[in-house]
Each structure stands twice: as C-alpha cells, then as structure tokens.
Amino acid sequence: MKHLTDYLWFHTKTRRDLVNITDRVEALVARSGVQEGFCLVSAMHITAGIWVNDDEEGLWKDLWELLDRLVPVERAYQHHLTGEDNGDAHLKRTLVHHQAMLPITKGKLDLGPWEQVFYAEFDGRRKKRVVVKILGE
Amino acid sequence: MKHLTDYLWFHTKTRRDLVNITDRVEALVARSGVQEGFCLVSAMHITAGIWVNDDEEGLWKDLWELLDRLVPVERAYQHHLTGEDNGDAHLKRTLVHHQAMLPITKGKLDLGPWEQVFYAEFDGRRKKRVVVKILGE
Amino acid sequence: MKHLTDYLWFHTKTRRDLVNITDRVEALVARSGVQEGFCLVSAMHITAGIWVNDDEEGLWKDLWELLDRLVPVERAYQHHLTGEDNGDAHLKRTLVHHQAMLPITKGKLDLGPWEQVFYAEFDGRRKKRVVVKILGE
C-alpha cells in the first residue's frame, strides 16, 4: 500500500473566494505513484470548504448568492458573542461540505468531464490549510 | 489489497428523479471480493448527487419541496448567461452532496437498517455516470 | 493492511442534540494501530448526521437556528402520512450530511486546530448507531 499526505496553503486576497485546485491535487496524485486508490481533500479550517462543480464564473456567483441568501453575512449570530464575526462562514462550510473524496484510477483523478475541485474560502484574512491524503496501490 | 472500479449509467425519463441504486452497488461489492473496505459512490456529472436516506415516497416529495424552496427552478441564475438553463441543478447537487462513502464489513455494505442509496438526478435529458470505486481486502 | 470497525451508540436525553465524539473516535484510531489511513464516521440512522466544526456553544445555537429556519419542525411533510413526525430530521441530516472521512497521519486524527467531530441527533428517543471504520497500514 502506498500513501502520501500533503497540505495546500491558502491566503486569499478577498475574504471570500473560490480557488480551482484540481491541477495541484492531480500533481500530488502523480507524485504519490498510486494507480488505484482514494484521494481525500479536506479543509482543515472550519470556515472553509471543498466544492466539486463547474469551472464557470456565472455559477460561482449563483453559489455565493444562494449561500448569502440562506446564511446572510449580517445576522445576529450567537457565535459573535465570542468576539468573532464569521458565524456565517462556519454555516456556509456546513452547507457546501468541507471535503470530497476523489477516486484515482490508472494513476489519475477519475473525475467527470466537467468536475473541477475548488477550495471555498468563506472567511480569509489568514493562512489556511487543506489536507490532501492519498491511499492506494 | 483488492480494488474494483465500475460506472453506473443513468438516463432518467424525467428531468428530475431519484433512483434507488443500493442493490446495484451491493452487487459490485460482491463482485469485488472485498471483505473489509470502503465503497465510494460519486456522481460524475455536476447536476446530479448521491443521497443516503429512507426508501419512502413521501419523504422524496419532501426532499424535492425543500430543494425547490431553497433553490427555485425558475430564477435568473448567472449560469444561464452561458445558454444553460440548469443553474438550480448545480446548486441542488451542492446541498444534497454529490457522493457518499459506504463501509464494507464482512463482504457486505455496512448500512443502517433504513439506509438506502439513491442517485439524485437534477437535470436529466442525457446519459450520465456514477463512479463506484471499491478498495479493501 | 489493517482495519477496525466499531459502532458508537447514542441515546440522547433531548430529541435534538450535538455530541462531541472526537475523543471516542481518536481512541478507536489508537486501538486500530493504523498509522496512515482513513477513518470513516457515518451515522447509520437516517435522522442523524455528522458535523465537523467548532466546539463553541454559540455556534451550535446558530446551526440549530439555521436548520430550523430552512427545515421547520412544524410543517405538513408528506412523510408524516406514514404516521411519522420526523420529516424535518431526515432533511436536516441531508443538509448537514451524514458522514465525514477523517485522515489518519502518524497514528492520529489529522484534523485542523479547531476541527471537532460531532454526532448530530435530529430525532432522538431511541438508541442509535454510528459506524466507525478505519483502514490503513
């Protein structure tokens, strides 16, 4: 069994952002030498998530519109009593989900024709990590 | 380590549909010979998802009602500027999530008593694939 | 390849509850002897989920407020025609998601600094199970 663990670092310029990380994950798969296996991509900070969807700017706007509609930025979140102001970011991570498991087949990510992997930042302003863990043979 | 990769194809009659695929996935687990492992079920098209819940028609209606309430079909999605008309489908995939990881124990899917695995189609009208990847021993 | 499968049982006092299970999962990882691998935590009952987020009471209230706002407890769910009264619980499991995959690195859960793993009960009143399946080397 082979395995590889690595961490991708992000420090987005804007507080909320989507970053296409498909190529970076694919490069780690190549480096792992795993031909058949699983590749977990999981946001380690609790105000960020992983989104597998279309690389299309209009859709990104639709995603933000949906998330802001369901979980408004400005709202009297109980979490803000701690001094934080990112209650919405924790909940947006919940709805988008914080991770995805990518299959590896014949040494490559076995994604659908339009599937791209995005890091979804809901509350930037500091360096954050994503763990990529690959396991297989 | 054993592994098996297969693809389930769907071409639903209606644009939106739920298809119980538990038996088909269970058959692949049996074919893999894996006794202890993981079985990933992941929708490869970005307007479809995987849902693990109850095999009960009333609940299915409740799911559609919720999804249409949160993500209406008719709405001025930015994604539609590309000529597409399925913005809602991309976002519904996001909320339902596009994949599930099923544990395999003693050669069988280790599901709860009422857990059933569904393919959730949010925008049919063409053939679509789900990847099933099994890894274990 | 090593593997360990175990089940955590829950019988919460209140119908809806969040239970921090990070330590119990970590103990199973230690018992498994796996140094590099994956640990699946998945709610087997279809009115419960798994949530990976902050161990902060204000945020928990925000989560319940969000879920009750999107999926009200009192609503004429079709599922209730079966005699059940937990339609909201099935849908809340869907939005929170019912499982998480935790990476194991150097024999420990490879979580972010604030990531904690919670069992999310949306409809208690009986004993319920979570499967923990660990695979690796």
Side-chain angles (χ1 to χ4, degrees), chain B residues 16-18 51 53 56-70 92 95-96 118 120 122, chain C residues 77-79 87 90-91 94-95:
Chain B
R16 300 193 279 160
D17 206 357
L18 285 172
W51 189 54
N53 219 300
E56 199 279 297
E57 279 190 60
L59 183 65
W60 303 345
K61 289 177 190 161
D62 295 327
L63 178 67
W64 291 117
E65 192 276 334
L66 171 68
L67 292 175
D68 283 342
R69 187 157 46 82
L70 301 186
K92 282 165 179 159
L95 294 183
V96 165
F118 293 92
F122 302 119
Chain C
Y77 294 105
Q78 297 289 315
H79 185 52
H90 289 270
L91 300 175
T94 300
L95 294 184

PDB file of all heavy atoms in Angstrom, chain B residues 16-18 51 53 56-70 92 95-96 118 120 122, chain C residues 77-79 87 90-91 94-95:
ATOM      1  N   ARG B  16     -36.019  15.273 -13.412  1.00  0.00           N
ATOM      2  CA  ARG B  16     -35.565  15.124 -12.037  1.00  0.00           C
ATOM      3  C   ARG B  16     -36.117  13.831 -11.465  1.00  0.00           C
ATOM      4  O   ARG B  16     -37.302  13.546 -11.606  1.00  0.00           O
ATOM      5  CB  ARG B  16     -36.030  16.319 -11.220  1.00  0.00           C
ATOM      6  CG  ARG B  16     -35.446  17.601 -11.821  1.00  0.00           C
ATOM      7  CD  ARG B  16     -35.584  18.773 -10.919  1.00  0.00           C
ATOM      8  NE  ARG B  16     -36.905  19.340 -11.008  1.00  0.00           N
ATOM      9  CZ  ARG B  16     -37.434  20.115 -10.073  1.00  0.00           C
ATOM     10  NH1 ARG B  16     -36.770  20.347  -8.958  1.00  0.00           N
ATOM     11  NH2 ARG B  16     -38.633  20.626 -10.238  1.00  0.00           N
ATOM     12  N   ASP B  17     -35.248  13.071 -10.823  1.00  0.00           N
ATOM     13  CA  ASP B  17     -35.661  11.738 -10.393  1.00  0.00           C
ATOM     14  C   ASP B  17     -34.733  11.238  -9.280  1.00  0.00           C
ATOM     15  O   ASP B  17     -33.597  11.701  -9.156  1.00  0.00           O
ATOM     16  CB  ASP B  17     -35.572  10.778 -11.582  1.00  0.00           C
ATOM     17  CG  ASP B  17     -36.526   9.602 -11.458  1.00  0.00           C
ATOM     18  OD1 ASP B  17     -37.229   9.499 -10.420  1.00  0.00           O
ATOM     19  OD2 ASP B  17     -36.583   8.786 -12.387  1.00  0.00           O
ATOM     20  N   LEU B  18     -35.263  10.330  -8.480  1.00  0.00           N
ATOM     21  CA  LEU B  18     -34.451   9.593  -7.508  1.00  0.00           C
ATOM     22  C   LEU B  18     -34.479   8.124  -7.900  1.00  0.00           C
ATOM     23  O   LEU B  18     -35.554   7.568  -8.138  1.00  0.00           O
ATOM     24  CB  LEU B  18     -35.034   9.744  -6.089  1.00  0.00           C
ATOM     25  CG  LEU B  18     -34.811  11.076  -5.382  1.00  0.00           C
ATOM     26  CD1 LEU B  18     -35.626  11.115  -4.092  1.00  0.00           C
ATOM     27  CD2 LEU B  18     -33.333  11.290  -5.067  1.00  0.00           C
ATOM     28  N   TRP B  51     -27.697  10.453  -2.504  1.00  0.00           N
ATOM     29  CA  TRP B  51     -28.464  10.705  -1.289  1.00  0.00           C
ATOM     30  C   TRP B  51     -28.647   9.392  -0.539  1.00  0.00           C
ATOM     31  O   TRP B  51     -29.093   8.401  -1.136  1.00  0.00           O
ATOM     32  CB  TRP B  51     -29.826  11.294  -1.678  1.00  0.00           C
ATOM     33  CG  TRP B  51     -30.687  11.805  -0.555  1.00  0.00           C
ATOM     34  CD1 TRP B  51     -30.352  12.708   0.402  1.00  0.00           C
ATOM     35  CD2 TRP B  51     -32.064  11.482  -0.315  1.00  0.00           C
ATOM     36  NE1 TRP B  51     -31.430  12.964   1.217  1.00  0.00           N
ATOM     37  CE2 TRP B  51     -32.495  12.216   0.793  1.00  0.00           C
ATOM     38  CE3 TRP B  51     -32.979  10.623  -0.945  1.00  0.00           C
ATOM     39  CZ2 TRP B  51     -33.788  12.136   1.306  1.00  0.00           C
ATOM     40  CZ3 TRP B  51     -34.267  10.543  -0.448  1.00  0.00           C
ATOM     41  CH2 TRP B  51     -34.663  11.297   0.673  1.00  0.00           C
ATOM     42  N   ASN B  53     -30.728   7.859   2.330  1.00  0.00           N
ATOM     43  CA  ASN B  53     -31.837   8.146   3.210  1.00  0.00           C
ATOM     44  C   ASN B  53     -32.909   7.070   3.047  1.00  0.00           C
ATOM     45  O   ASN B  53     -32.605   5.964   2.589  1.00  0.00           O
ATOM     46  CB  ASN B  53     -32.390   9.552   2.930  1.00  0.00           C
ATOM     47  CG  ASN B  53     -32.791  10.296   4.211  1.00  0.00           C
ATOM     48  OD1 ASN B  53     -33.665   9.813   4.948  1.00  0.00           O
ATOM     49  ND2 ASN B  53     -32.147  11.416   4.499  1.00  0.00           N
ATOM     50  N   GLU B  56     -38.835   5.979   0.995  1.00  0.00           N
ATOM     51  CA  GLU B  56     -40.228   6.299   1.324  1.00  0.00           C
ATOM     52  C   GLU B  56     -40.672   7.474   0.450  1.00  0.00           C
ATOM     53  O   GLU B  56     -40.090   8.556   0.522  1.00  0.00           O
ATOM     54  CB  GLU B  56     -40.321   6.649   2.823  1.00  0.00           C
ATOM     55  CG  GLU B  56     -41.701   6.564   3.404  1.00  0.00           C
ATOM     56  CD  GLU B  56     -42.539   7.790   3.112  1.00  0.00           C
ATOM     57  OE1 GLU B  56     -42.190   8.893   3.558  1.00  0.00           O
ATOM     58  OE2 GLU B  56     -43.581   7.639   2.397  1.00  0.00           O
ATOM     59  N   GLU B  57     -41.702   7.218  -0.341  1.00  0.00           N
ATOM     60  CA  GLU B  57     -42.105   8.193  -1.378  1.00  0.00           C
ATOM     61  C   GLU B  57     -42.499   9.554  -0.829  1.00  0.00           C
ATOM     62  O   GLU B  57     -42.250  10.574  -1.477  1.00  0.00           O
ATOM     63  CB  GLU B  57     -43.279   7.635  -2.180  1.00  0.00           C
ATOM     64  CG  GLU B  57     -42.840   6.649  -3.253  1.00  0.00           C
ATOM     65  CD  GLU B  57     -43.997   6.314  -4.193  1.00  0.00           C
ATOM     66  OE1 GLU B  57     -44.534   7.252  -4.833  1.00  0.00           O
ATOM     67  OE2 GLU B  57     -44.378   5.130  -4.257  1.00  0.00           O
ATOM     68  N   GLY B  58     -43.129   9.575   0.329  1.00  0.00           N
ATOM     69  CA  GLY B  58     -43.500  10.862   0.907  1.00  0.00           C
ATOM     70  C   GLY B  58     -42.270  11.707   1.193  1.00  0.00           C
ATOM     71  O   GLY B  58     -42.235  12.907   0.900  1.00  0.00           O
ATOM     72  N   LEU B  59     -41.254  11.063   1.724  1.00  0.00           N
ATOM     73  CA  LEU B  59     -40.020  11.781   2.039  1.00  0.00           C
ATOM     74  C   LEU B  59     -39.362  12.314   0.774  1.00  0.00           C
ATOM     75  O   LEU B  59     -38.777  13.403   0.783  1.00  0.00           O
ATOM     76  CB  LEU B  59     -39.056  10.853   2.789  1.00  0.00           C
ATOM     77  CG  LEU B  59     -37.755  11.502   3.232  1.00  0.00           C
ATOM     78  CD1 LEU B  59     -38.012  12.585   4.270  1.00  0.00           C
ATOM     79  CD2 LEU B  59     -36.789  10.466   3.782  1.00  0.00           C
ATOM     80  N   TRP B  60     -39.442  11.531  -0.311  1.00  0.00           N
ATOM     81  CA  TRP B  60     -38.855  12.008  -1.572  1.00  0.00           C
ATOM     82  C   TRP B  60     -39.515  13.335  -1.974  1.00  0.00           C
ATOM     83  O   TRP B  60     -38.840  14.267  -2.391  1.00  0.00           O
ATOM     84  CB  TRP B  60     -39.034  11.006  -2.694  1.00  0.00           C
ATOM     85  CG  TRP B  60     -38.475   9.645  -2.415  1.00  0.00           C
ATOM     86  CD1 TRP B  60     -37.600   9.306  -1.416  1.00  0.00           C
ATOM     87  CD2 TRP B  60     -38.755   8.446  -3.121  1.00  0.00           C
ATOM     88  NE1 TRP B  60     -37.325   7.967  -1.470  1.00  0.00           N
ATOM     89  CE2 TRP B  60     -38.016   7.400  -2.503  1.00  0.00           C
ATOM     90  CE3 TRP B  60     -39.550   8.116  -4.217  1.00  0.00           C
ATOM     91  CZ2 TRP B  60     -38.061   6.095  -2.955  1.00  0.00           C
ATOM     92  CZ3 TRP B  60     -39.588   6.813  -4.677  1.00  0.00           C
ATOM     93  CH2 TRP B  60     -38.852   5.809  -4.046  1.00  0.00           C
ATOM     94  N   LYS B  61     -40.845  13.368  -1.840  1.00  0.00           N
ATOM     95  CA  LYS B  61     -41.555  14.617  -2.180  1.00  0.00           C
ATOM     96  C   LYS B  61     -41.090  15.755  -1.273  1.00  0.00           C
ATOM     97  O   LYS B  61     -40.942  16.896  -1.714  1.00  0.00           O
ATOM     98  CB  LYS B  61     -43.065  14.421  -2.049  1.00  0.00           C
ATOM     99  CG  LYS B  61     -43.648  13.520  -3.134  1.00  0.00           C
ATOM    100  CD  LYS B  61     -45.148  13.293  -2.927  1.00  0.00           C
ATOM    101  CE  LYS B  61     -45.672  12.219  -3.858  1.00  0.00           C
ATOM    102  NZ  LYS B  61     -46.976  11.670  -3.393  1.00  0.00           N
ATOM    103  N   ASP B  62     -40.885  15.440  -0.002  1.00  0.00           N
ATOM    104  CA  ASP B  62     -40.406  16.468   0.933  1.00  0.00           C
ATOM    105  C   ASP B  62     -39.029  16.979   0.522  1.00  0.00           C
ATOM    106  O   ASP B  62     -38.741  18.163   0.653  1.00  0.00           O
ATOM    107  CB  ASP B  62     -40.331  15.902   2.362  1.00  0.00           C
ATOM    108  CG  ASP B  62     -41.704  15.538   2.914  1.00  0.00           C
ATOM    109  OD1 ASP B  62     -42.686  16.219   2.559  1.00  0.00           O
ATOM    110  OD2 ASP B  62     -41.785  14.571   3.694  1.00  0.00           O
ATOM    111  N   LEU B  63     -38.176  16.071   0.045  1.00  0.00           N
ATOM    112  CA  LEU B  63     -36.849  16.484  -0.398  1.00  0.00           C
ATOM    113  C   LEU B  63     -36.949  17.444  -1.586  1.00  0.00           C
ATOM    114  O   LEU B  63     -36.314  18.498  -1.602  1.00  0.00           O
ATOM    115  CB  LEU B  63     -36.011  15.255  -0.779  1.00  0.00           C
ATOM    116  CG  LEU B  63     -34.605  15.587  -1.316  1.00  0.00           C
ATOM    117  CD1 LEU B  63     -33.725  16.195  -0.234  1.00  0.00           C
ATOM    118  CD2 LEU B  63     -33.931  14.364  -1.927  1.00  0.00           C
ATOM    119  N   TRP B  64     -37.778  17.087  -2.568  1.00  0.00           N
ATOM    120  CA  TRP B  64     -37.931  17.972  -3.734  1.00  0.00           C
ATOM    121  C   TRP B  64     -38.534  19.310  -3.316  1.00  0.00           C
ATOM    122  O   TRP B  64     -38.125  20.362  -3.825  1.00  0.00           O
ATOM    123  CB  TRP B  64     -38.791  17.328  -4.819  1.00  0.00           C
ATOM    124  CG  TRP B  64     -38.129  16.160  -5.487  1.00  0.00           C
ATOM    125  CD1 TRP B  64     -38.550  14.864  -5.488  1.00  0.00           C
ATOM    126  CD2 TRP B  64     -36.901  16.166  -6.250  1.00  0.00           C
ATOM    127  NE1 TRP B  64     -37.676  14.070  -6.201  1.00  0.00           N
ATOM    128  CE2 TRP B  64     -36.660  14.839  -6.683  1.00  0.00           C
ATOM    129  CE3 TRP B  64     -35.977  17.156  -6.600  1.00  0.00           C
ATOM    130  CZ2 TRP B  64     -35.548  14.492  -7.449  1.00  0.00           C
ATOM    131  CZ3 TRP B  64     -34.871  16.804  -7.360  1.00  0.00           C
ATOM    132  CH2 TRP B  64     -34.666  15.488  -7.775  1.00  0.00           C
ATOM    133  N   GLU B  65     -39.498  19.259  -2.409  1.00  0.00           N
ATOM    134  CA  GLU B  65     -40.115  20.514  -1.964  1.00  0.00           C
ATOM    135  C   GLU B  65     -39.078  21.407  -1.300  1.00  0.00           C
ATOM    136  O   GLU B  65     -39.013  22.615  -1.567  1.00  0.00           O
ATOM    137  CB  GLU B  65     -41.271  20.190  -0.993  1.00  0.00           C
ATOM    138  CG  GLU B  65     -42.189  21.364  -0.667  1.00  0.00           C
ATOM    139  CD  GLU B  65     -41.642  22.247   0.460  1.00  0.00           C
ATOM    140  OE1 GLU B  65     -40.867  21.729   1.307  1.00  0.00           O
ATOM    141  OE2 GLU B  65     -41.984  23.436   0.490  1.00  0.00           O
ATOM    142  N   LEU B  66     -38.238  20.808  -0.451  1.00  0.00           N
ATOM    143  CA  LEU B  66     -37.179  21.586   0.211  1.00  0.00           C
ATOM    144  C   LEU B  66     -36.220  22.182  -0.813  1.00  0.00           C
ATOM    145  O   LEU B  66     -35.905  23.372  -0.789  1.00  0.00           O
ATOM    146  CB  LEU B  66     -36.403  20.687   1.186  1.00  0.00           C
ATOM    147  CG  LEU B  66     -35.137  21.314   1.781  1.00  0.00           C
ATOM    148  CD1 LEU B  66     -35.491  22.452   2.727  1.00  0.00           C
ATOM    149  CD2 LEU B  66     -34.274  20.276   2.489  1.00  0.00           C
ATOM    150  N   LEU B  67     -35.757  21.338  -1.732  1.00  0.00           N
ATOM    151  CA  LEU B  67     -34.761  21.800  -2.710  1.00  0.00           C
ATOM    152  C   LEU B  67     -35.331  22.889  -3.609  1.00  0.00           C
ATOM    153  O   LEU B  67     -34.656  23.872  -3.910  1.00  0.00           O
ATOM    154  CB  LEU B  67     -34.253  20.615  -3.537  1.00  0.00           C
ATOM    155  CG  LEU B  67     -33.423  19.591  -2.754  1.00  0.00           C
ATOM    156  CD1 LEU B  67     -33.075  18.402  -3.632  1.00  0.00           C
ATOM    157  CD2 LEU B  67     -32.153  20.219  -2.198  1.00  0.00           C
ATOM    158  N   ASP B  68     -36.591  22.733  -4.024  1.00  0.00           N
ATOM    159  CA  ASP B  68     -37.195  23.765  -4.878  1.00  0.00           C
ATOM    160  C   ASP B  68     -37.461  25.048  -4.101  1.00  0.00           C
ATOM    161  O   ASP B  68     -37.456  26.138  -4.671  1.00  0.00           O
ATOM    162  CB  ASP B  68     -38.505  23.256  -5.489  1.00  0.00           C
ATOM    163  CG  ASP B  68     -38.245  22.295  -6.637  1.00  0.00           C
ATOM    164  OD1 ASP B  68     -37.115  22.293  -7.167  1.00  0.00           O
ATOM    165  OD2 ASP B  68     -39.165  21.541  -7.001  1.00  0.00           O
ATOM    166  N   ARG B  69     -37.685  24.903  -2.815  1.00  0.00           N
ATOM    167  CA  ARG B  69     -37.905  26.086  -1.989  1.00  0.00           C
ATOM    168  C   ARG B  69     -36.596  26.856  -1.803  1.00  0.00           C
ATOM    169  O   ARG B  69     -36.559  28.081  -1.924  1.00  0.00           O
ATOM    170  CB  ARG B  69     -38.490  25.658  -0.633  1.00  0.00           C
ATOM    171  CG  ARG B  69     -38.923  26.775   0.278  1.00  0.00           C
ATOM    172  CD  ARG B  69     -39.964  26.319   1.310  1.00  0.00           C
ATOM    173  NE  ARG B  69     -39.642  25.073   1.974  1.00  0.00           N
ATOM    174  CZ  ARG B  69     -38.804  24.963   3.026  1.00  0.00           C
ATOM    175  NH1 ARG B  69     -38.221  26.028   3.531  1.00  0.00           N
ATOM    176  NH2 ARG B  69     -38.574  23.785   3.589  1.00  0.00           N
ATOM    177  N   LEU B  70     -35.513  26.142  -1.545  1.00  0.00           N
ATOM    178  CA  LEU B  70     -34.220  26.800  -1.326  1.00  0.00           C
ATOM    179  C   LEU B  70     -33.569  27.230  -2.643  1.00  0.00           C
ATOM    180  O   LEU B  70     -32.893  28.258  -2.706  1.00  0.00           O
ATOM    181  CB  LEU B  70     -33.265  25.862  -0.566  1.00  0.00           C
ATOM    182  CG  LEU B  70     -33.723  25.371   0.810  1.00  0.00           C
ATOM    183  CD1 LEU B  70     -32.603  24.586   1.483  1.00  0.00           C
ATOM    184  CD2 LEU B  70     -34.172  26.516   1.698  1.00  0.00           C
ATOM    185  N   LYS B  92     -28.442  22.332  -6.375  1.00  0.00           N
ATOM    186  CA  LYS B  92     -29.081  21.238  -5.637  1.00  0.00           C
ATOM    187  C   LYS B  92     -28.084  20.111  -5.381  1.00  0.00           C
ATOM    188  O   LYS B  92     -28.094  19.489  -4.317  1.00  0.00           O
ATOM    189  CB  LYS B  92     -30.312  20.747  -6.401  1.00  0.00           C
ATOM    190  CG  LYS B  92     -31.505  21.686  -6.216  1.00  0.00           C
ATOM    191  CD  LYS B  92     -32.613  21.469  -7.214  1.00  0.00           C
ATOM    192  CE  LYS B  92     -33.754  22.459  -6.914  1.00  0.00           C
ATOM    193  NZ  LYS B  92     -34.645  22.688  -8.065  1.00  0.00           N
ATOM    194  N   LEU B  95     -26.187  21.066  -2.265  1.00  0.00           N
ATOM    195  CA  LEU B  95     -26.862  20.909  -0.964  1.00  0.00           C
ATOM    196  C   LEU B  95     -27.043  19.433  -0.589  1.00  0.00           C
ATOM    197  O   LEU B  95     -26.926  19.065   0.576  1.00  0.00           O
ATOM    198  CB  LEU B  95     -28.216  21.623  -0.978  1.00  0.00           C
ATOM    199  CG  LEU B  95     -28.146  23.151  -1.093  1.00  0.00           C
ATOM    200  CD1 LEU B  95     -29.550  23.743  -1.014  1.00  0.00           C
ATOM    201  CD2 LEU B  95     -27.270  23.759   0.000  1.00  0.00           C
ATOM    202  N   VAL B  96     -27.367  18.595  -1.577  1.00  0.00           N
ATOM    203  CA  VAL B  96     -27.567  17.158  -1.289  1.00  0.00           C
ATOM    204  C   VAL B  96     -26.216  16.458  -1.120  1.00  0.00           C
ATOM    205  O   VAL B  96     -26.123  15.458  -0.427  1.00  0.00           O
ATOM    206  CB  VAL B  96     -28.396  16.514  -2.421  1.00  0.00           C
ATOM    207  CG1 VAL B  96     -28.334  14.996  -2.372  1.00  0.00           C
ATOM    208  CG2 VAL B  96     -29.849  16.992  -2.330  1.00  0.00           C
ATOM    209  N   PHE B 118     -29.371   6.458  -3.050  1.00  0.00           N
ATOM    210  CA  PHE B 118     -30.105   6.953  -4.208  1.00  0.00           C
ATOM    211  C   PHE B 118     -29.213   7.787  -5.115  1.00  0.00           C
ATOM    212  O   PHE B 118     -28.402   8.603  -4.642  1.00  0.00           O
ATOM    213  CB  PHE B 118     -31.270   7.854  -3.761  1.00  0.00           C
ATOM    214  CG  PHE B 118     -32.341   7.126  -3.022  1.00  0.00           C
ATOM    215  CD1 PHE B 118     -32.305   7.024  -1.639  1.00  0.00           C
ATOM    216  CD2 PHE B 118     -33.381   6.525  -3.712  1.00  0.00           C
ATOM    217  CE1 PHE B 118     -33.294   6.335  -0.952  1.00  0.00           C
ATOM    218  CE2 PHE B 118     -34.368   5.835  -3.025  1.00  0.00           C
ATOM    219  CZ  PHE B 118     -34.327   5.742  -1.643  1.00  0.00           C
ATOM    220  N   ALA B 120     -29.508  10.876  -7.337  1.00  0.00           N
ATOM    221  CA  ALA B 120     -30.412  12.027  -7.417  1.00  0.00           C
ATOM    222  C   ALA B 120     -30.111  12.800  -8.696  1.00  0.00           C
ATOM    223  O   ALA B 120     -29.047  13.396  -8.840  1.00  0.00           O
ATOM    224  CB  ALA B 120     -30.222  12.925  -6.198  1.00  0.00           C
ATOM    225  N   PHE B 122     -30.882  15.828 -11.080  1.00  0.00           N
ATOM    226  CA  PHE B 122     -31.493  17.165 -11.027  1.00  0.00           C
ATOM    227  C   PHE B 122     -31.666  17.783 -12.399  1.00  0.00           C
ATOM    228  O   PHE B 122     -32.236  18.853 -12.537  1.00  0.00           O
ATOM    229  CB  PHE B 122     -30.625  18.088 -10.164  1.00  0.00           C
ATOM    230  CG  PHE B 122     -30.419  17.579  -8.769  1.00  0.00           C
ATOM    231  CD1 PHE B 122     -29.149  17.293  -8.303  1.00  0.00           C
ATOM    232  CD2 PHE B 122     -31.507  17.362  -7.939  1.00  0.00           C
ATOM    233  CE1 PHE B 122     -28.964  16.806  -7.006  1.00  0.00           C
ATOM    234  CE2 PHE B 122     -31.331  16.874  -6.646  1.00  0.00           C
ATOM    235  CZ  PHE B 122     -30.055  16.600  -6.191  1.00  0.00           C
TER     236      PHE B 122
ATOM    237  N   TYR C  77     -45.181  17.800   6.252  1.00  0.00           N
ATOM    238  CA  TYR C  77     -44.343  16.926   5.438  1.00  0.00           C
ATOM    239  C   TYR C  77     -45.158  15.719   4.946  1.00  0.00           C
ATOM    240  O   TYR C  77     -45.958  15.152   5.694  1.00  0.00           O
ATOM    241  CB  TYR C  77     -43.129  16.459   6.246  1.00  0.00           C
ATOM    242  CG  TYR C  77     -42.186  17.597   6.595  1.00  0.00           C
ATOM    243  CD1 TYR C  77     -42.133  18.111   7.893  1.00  0.00           C
ATOM    244  CD2 TYR C  77     -41.378  18.175   5.627  1.00  0.00           C
ATOM    245  CE1 TYR C  77     -41.288  19.172   8.212  1.00  0.00           C
ATOM    246  CE2 TYR C  77     -40.534  19.242   5.941  1.00  0.00           C
ATOM    247  CZ  TYR C  77     -40.496  19.729   7.229  1.00  0.00           C
ATOM    248  OH  TYR C  77     -39.682  20.779   7.541  1.00  0.00           O
ATOM    249  N   GLN C  78     -44.937  15.362   3.687  1.00  0.00           N
ATOM    250  CA  GLN C  78     -45.595  14.174   3.123  1.00  0.00           C
ATOM    251  C   GLN C  78     -45.205  12.915   3.904  1.00  0.00           C
ATOM    252  O   GLN C  78     -45.976  11.974   4.003  1.00  0.00           O
ATOM    253  CB  GLN C  78     -45.184  14.001   1.653  1.00  0.00           C
ATOM    254  CG  GLN C  78     -45.610  15.148   0.753  1.00  0.00           C
ATOM    255  CD  GLN C  78     -47.102  15.162   0.523  1.00  0.00           C
ATOM    256  OE1 GLN C  78     -47.699  14.132   0.262  1.00  0.00           O
ATOM    257  NE2 GLN C  78     -47.718  16.331   0.665  1.00  0.00           N
ATOM    258  N   HIS C  79     -43.991  12.915   4.418  1.00  0.00           N
ATOM    259  CA  HIS C  79     -43.504  11.763   5.171  1.00  0.00           C
ATOM    260  C   HIS C  79     -44.395  11.480   6.385  1.00  0.00           C
ATOM    261  O   HIS C  79     -44.467  10.334   6.849  1.00  0.00           O
ATOM    262  CB  HIS C  79     -42.061  12.032   5.615  1.00  0.00           C
ATOM    263  CG  HIS C  79     -41.390  10.884   6.313  1.00  0.00           C
ATOM    264  ND1 HIS C  79     -41.340   9.613   5.792  1.00  0.00           N
ATOM    265  CD2 HIS C  79     -40.729  10.818   7.504  1.00  0.00           C
ATOM    266  CE1 HIS C  79     -40.684   8.823   6.630  1.00  0.00           C
ATOM    267  NE2 HIS C  79     -40.304   9.524   7.671  1.00  0.00           N
ATOM    268  N   GLY C  87     -40.183  14.288   9.687  1.00  0.00           N
ATOM    269  CA  GLY C  87     -39.782  14.674   8.329  1.00  0.00           C
ATOM    270  C   GLY C  87     -38.619  15.652   8.330  1.00  0.00           C
ATOM    271  O   GLY C  87     -37.685  15.523   7.527  1.00  0.00           O
ATOM    272  N   HIS C  90     -35.056  13.989   8.755  1.00  0.00           N
ATOM    273  CA  HIS C  90     -34.478  13.372   7.553  1.00  0.00           C
ATOM    274  C   HIS C  90     -33.808  14.427   6.668  1.00  0.00           C
ATOM    275  O   HIS C  90     -32.752  14.193   6.085  1.00  0.00           O
ATOM    276  CB  HIS C  90     -35.570  12.676   6.735  1.00  0.00           C
ATOM    277  CG  HIS C  90     -36.103  11.432   7.355  1.00  0.00           C
ATOM    278  ND1 HIS C  90     -35.554  10.198   7.115  1.00  0.00           N
ATOM    279  CD2 HIS C  90     -37.140  11.223   8.196  1.00  0.00           C
ATOM    280  CE1 HIS C  90     -36.240   9.269   7.779  1.00  0.00           C
ATOM    281  NE2 HIS C  90     -37.212   9.863   8.449  1.00  0.00           N
ATOM    282  N   LEU C  91     -34.449  15.588   6.574  1.00  0.00           N
ATOM    283  CA  LEU C  91     -33.934  16.636   5.682  1.00  0.00           C
ATOM    284  C   LEU C  91     -32.763  17.379   6.320  1.00  0.00           C
ATOM    285  O   LEU C  91     -31.839  17.808   5.633  1.00  0.00           O
ATOM    286  CB  LEU C  91     -35.064  17.589   5.308  1.00  0.00           C
ATOM    287  CG  LEU C  91     -36.236  16.917   4.577  1.00  0.00           C
ATOM    288  CD1 LEU C  91     -37.366  17.912   4.353  1.00  0.00           C
ATOM    289  CD2 LEU C  91     -35.794  16.303   3.247  1.00  0.00           C
ATOM    290  N   THR C  94     -29.739  15.573   5.665  1.00  0.00           N
ATOM    291  CA  THR C  94     -29.284  15.806   4.296  1.00  0.00           C
ATOM    292  C   THR C  94     -28.428  17.063   4.217  1.00  0.00           C
ATOM    293  O   THR C  94     -27.348  17.055   3.609  1.00  0.00           O
ATOM    294  CB  THR C  94     -30.504  15.942   3.363  1.00  0.00           C
ATOM    295  OG1 THR C  94     -31.266  14.736   3.430  1.00  0.00           O
ATOM    296  CG2 THR C  94     -30.079  16.199   1.921  1.00  0.00           C
ATOM    297  N   LEU C  95     -28.880  18.149   4.827  1.00  0.00           N
ATOM    298  CA  LEU C  95     -28.144  19.415   4.723  1.00  0.00           C
ATOM    299  C   LEU C  95     -26.820  19.389   5.495  1.00  0.00           C
ATOM    300  O   LEU C  95     -25.823  19.944   5.044  1.00  0.00           O
ATOM    301  CB  LEU C  95     -29.016  20.578   5.213  1.00  0.00           C
ATOM    302  CG  LEU C  95     -30.246  20.880   4.347  1.00  0.00           C
ATOM    303  CD1 LEU C  95     -30.972  22.102   4.883  1.00  0.00           C
ATOM    304  CD2 LEU C  95     -29.875  21.104   2.884  1.00  0.00           C
TER     305      LEU C  95
END
